[in-house]
Amino acid sequence: MALRIVVAGDSVGADYKEAIKADLEEDPRVEEVIDLGATPGEEATYPGLGFAGARLIAQGRADRGVFVCGTGMGMAICANKVPGVRACTAHDSFSVERLIMSNDAHVLCLGQRVIGRELARRLAGEFLSYTFDPASHSKANIDLLDRLEAEVGSATT
């Protein structure tokens, strides 16, 4: 299945976002790359970009996302505000694997001020390599997360 990937990068993460975008556009696993991020030198802040990218995933217009800011944390916080989206910062291969295999996450967040460019590119590629197994022991945790999120959503409306 070819993936639709949304990429986002604020002013700080624009350089890595551009490199990752170029890699994804050449990746045979990727059908479409949706770029919501800033270009190098352009002013943009992470809250609107992270939220907008996550909304595309929640709406079914993208399958996954790779978001870049200074630490990855701001983008993760924003993306996690969108119901139905799970995002996390990960800066090593094992964490990227577990992001999908244990947590069925949708968004990998990276920090341009935290890791090197080549590692960021490699981790973005690895993120596409994994598929959540709904028969795994982690499925019960994902189901509970979904139920709790629905409860919180219904309590606030």
Side-chain angles (χ1 to χ4, degrees), residues 99-114:
L99 192 57
I100 299 293
M101 302 301 289
S102 295
N103 298 290
D104 193 21
H106 308 97
V107 182
L108 168 63
C109 299
L110 300 167
Q112 185 163 319
R113 292 180 171 156
V114 178

